[in-house]
Amino acid sequence: MKKKKGRYQRSDTVKTKDRKYTSYEDAPLREYKDEDPMPHNITKKFFKVFLILFFSVAAVLAILNLDKLTPDNISHWFQYDLLGKTEGNGYPVRFNGTIVEKGNFSEMDGAAVYCSDTSVVVLNSNAGEYQNSQHSFANPVLKSGSGYSMIYNADAKGYMIISRDKMIHSDSSDKKIFEADIAPNGVYAILNHGSDYLAELNVFKSDNTKKYEYNFADYYVNNVSINKDGTRAALSGASANEGSIISVIYILDFSQGNYLQKYEFDDSYIYDIEYLDNGNVIAVGSETAYFIDVEKSKKTDIPYSLRTLTNFEISPEYGLTLSLSTDSDGHHCDIICINAEGKHEAEFSTDNRVFSIDMSSEKIAVLTQGNLGIYDHNGKSLQNISVDSDAKKACFADKKNLYILGTSRISKVTTEEQ
């Protein structure tokens, strides 16, 4: 047998204090041990450092996302993000039911959510179903939010509350429903037809016990939006006086018996109102939009200047986007963006009729027939994306991905990095 080269040479007998072998070559392989293994104390130190770094990063992430660390969110992350539940087969995907109205299609924490004539469905980024819940509402209306969404039967009594992956609550109101809304913490409000009053507001905690109520005797109040903390609400309504419309905006604080603020104005019916995440309020009327700095009790008008409102979108996080047409047929639209601080952020034009608009933190999406135009917040054109000719609504899932609603299916597009 050839001798090994190196520090140790073969000898007839190798003796140690604890053992005796004829040679290294004669020792069984399973009994041979490295004479210079990594010390155990180094391994333990490395493991301790790793654990410290891991828990430090986890603690920082937990602090930054403290408001999102609910049992439901943790369970959802474990089931859907970690284990890959409901992966899906990708977009486009046909929706359940025969029709989905534009107002009943939105996003919910980055997922596509829609309410058809038969069911409410939440889809993940690859078109897998987080949930699919049946309903029997004749006039379903979806109010989508962060954490929860609410579906109610307009001019009837039924309503449902869902999270992204399960049904939370299903019930009937005592009276017919004008509108409803829900906050990220689960506090929800139902605006009812009144018996002794023109309208009644009933607010409930997340455990469905009543928190607050308010009655309206002078106006048919038919729009409600709760702030993100579930402590205040903005409402709008209308009344008639000698053949003209008088509109009203109320700001209510659920800790007070009387309204906090009230604004009245003529000849502009209010279509929608939204309590923004920063505490301001935006309302969109037929002739004028309104920005309210609640802390300063100041209302600012945003006039349309003889242009016709063709589309709008209010984002609780980013503000208001308007489409105003200079033509009677709805073409040649000016796009105006008002940020959450009430500042005029962008204005640009398109020759086409606008079917839908939306805003993310970096981009503005304008849907026209067969085309999705992407702009920055200064109004600069960034990209044009071809979409189905029957596409009727686009909404951002995040800063670069959008869901598109068509007449029978839902698609998804990704914008270019800028």
Side-chain angles (χ1 to χ4, degrees):
M1 181 181 291
K2 186 177 181 181
K3 293 183 178 180
K4 291 178 65 176
K5 295 180 180 180
R7 180 179 175 183
Y8 297 104
Q9 299 294 324
R10 180 174 177 174
S11 63
D12 293 336
T13 303
V14 179
K15 295 183 178 179
T16 67
K17 183 177 181 181
D18 298 317
R19 60 184 181 176
K20 180 178 179 181
Y21 293 125
T22 302
S23 70
Y24 286 114
E25 287 84 348
D26 295 332
L29 183 62
R30 58 186 173 83
E31 294 183 10
Y32 181 79
K33 295 182 181 179
D34 190 348
E35 296 293 336
D36 190 26
M38 181 180 288
H40 291 295
N41 61 336
I42 295 179
T43 305
K44 290 179 180 179
K45 286 180 180 178
F46 175 80
F47 186 66
K48 287 180 180 178
V49 171
F50 173 78
L51 286 178
I52 291 171
L53 290 174
F54 176 81
F55 285 112
S56 297
V57 172
V60 171
L61 292 174
I63 293 171
L64 293 175
N65 297 275
L66 192 61
D67 59 328
K68 298 179 181 178
L69 291 180
T70 64
D72 282 345
N73 285 344
I74 294 172
S75 173
H76 184 278
W77 172 83
F78 182 79
Q79 293 184 64
Y80 295 93
D81 297 329
L82 186 62
L83 299 182
K85 187 177 179 182
T86 64
E87 290 183 347
N89 296 316
Y91 291 92
V93 61
R94 295 185 67 87
F95 56 71
N96 294 340
T98 57
I99 188 170
V100 176
E101 301 289 350
K102 284 177 58 176
N104 287 342
F105 174 75
S106 187
E107 67 84 27
M108 182 182 181
D109 297 329
V113 55
Y114 69 86
C115 182
S116 71
D117 52 335
T118 61
S119 56
V120 56
V121 180
V122 186
L123 302 173
N124 69 10
S125 59
N126 203 38
E129 288 188 356
Y130 283 139
Q131 72 161 303
N132 183 340
S133 301
Q134 301 293 309
H135 71 76
S136 58
F137 299 161
N139 298 297
V141 178
L142 170 69
K143 292 298 289 286
S144 179
S146 175
Y148 300 93
S149 288
M150 195 166 183
I151 305 94
Y152 64 91
N153 198 5
D155 204 32
K157 297 180 179 181
Y159 66 92
M160 300 160 49
I161 296 171
I162 64 169
S163 66
R164 189 160 55 168
D165 55 2
K166 65 181 178 181
M167 174 70 65
I168 300 296
H169 182 61
S170 180
D171 207 344
S172 292
S173 183
D174 293 335
K175 298 170 184 176
K176 291 182 178 181
I177 301 173
F178 277 127
E179 209 197 32
D181 193 28
I182 190 164
N185 61 4
V187 174
Y188 62 97
I190 298 177
L191 193 58
N192 297 105
H193 294 249
S195 51
D196 299 325
Y197 298 90
L198 296 180
E200 300 175 1
L201 177 69
N202 294 286
V203 181
F204 300 86
K205 299 177 184 177
S206 58
D207 63 2
N208 308 304
T209 58
K210 185 174 283 192
K211 174 178 181 174
Y212 177 81
E213 64 178 79
Y214 194 92
N215 299 313
F216 302 90
D218 300 323
Y219 289 89
Y220 288 98
V221 177
N222 56 0
N223 291 303
V224 59
S225 176
I226 303 183
N227 69 346
K228 67 176 183 178
D229 299 321
T231 58
R232 291 181 173 182
L235 305 98
S236 67
S239 185
N241 183 27
E242 297 181 354
S244 63
I245 294 175
I246 301 176
S247 293
V248 66
I249 292 174
Y250 288 97
I251 309 296
L252 299 181
D253 189 308
F254 299 155
S255 65
Q256 300 181 19
N258 200 6
Y259 57 80
L260 186 66
Q261 295 170 29
K262 180 181 179 182
Y263 303 91
E264 297 174 296
F265 34 88
D266 298 332
D267 300 324
S268 185
Y269 182 81
I270 296 177
Y271 295 131
D272 199 6
I273 193 166
E274 189 73 42
Y275 222 121
L276 305 183
D277 289 347
N278 65 358
N280 296 324
V281 170
I282 285 178
V284 177
S286 56
E287 309 295 331
T288 306
Y290 307 93
F291 178 87
I292 298 174
D293 187 323
V294 175
E295 294 306 312
K296 295 180 179 178
S297 301
K298 181 182 178 182
K299 176 177 71 71
T300 302
D301 293 357
I302 306 167
Y304 300 159
S305 303
L306 302 178
R307 293 169 292 186
T308 303
L309 178 68
T310 59
N311 234 296
F312 70 89
E313 188 69 28
I314 311 175
S315 165
E317 187 174 1
Y318 305 119
L320 170 66
T321 312
L322 294 166
S323 171
L324 304 173
S325 175
T326 57
D327 291 354
S328 58
D329 62 359
H331 289 73
H332 297 94
C333 293
D334 297 329
I335 310 299
I336 298 173
C337 299
I338 309 295
N339 67 20
E341 300 296 334
K343 304 298 183 182
H344 194 105
E345 195 166 73
E347 183 167 346
F348 54 95
S349 300
T350 174
D351 291 335
N352 301 309
R353 184 178 179 182
V354 174
F355 296 122
S356 169
I357 48 180
D358 199 17
M359 184 192 307
S360 72
S361 60
E362 299 177 357
K363 300 172 183 176
I364 299 161
V366 180
L367 178 65
T368 58
Q369 187 166 20
N371 183 75
L372 183 66
I374 306 298
Y375 302 81
D376 67 16
H377 279 217
N378 294 317
K380 177 185 176 182
S381 178
L382 302 177
Q383 188 181 1
N384 285 290
I385 304 171
S386 294
V387 295
D388 293 343
S389 60
D390 65 351
K392 52 186 179 179
K393 186 173 181 180
C395 61
F396 278 102
D398 50 46
K399 64 182 181 180
K400 68 176 184 177
N401 295 295
L402 296 101
Y403 297 116
I404 312 291
L405 173 67
T407 56
S408 62
R409 67 180 191 170
I410 296 168
S411 305
K412 182 183 176 183
V413 298
T414 300
T415 62
E416 296 174 350
E417 294 287 350
Q418 301 300 324

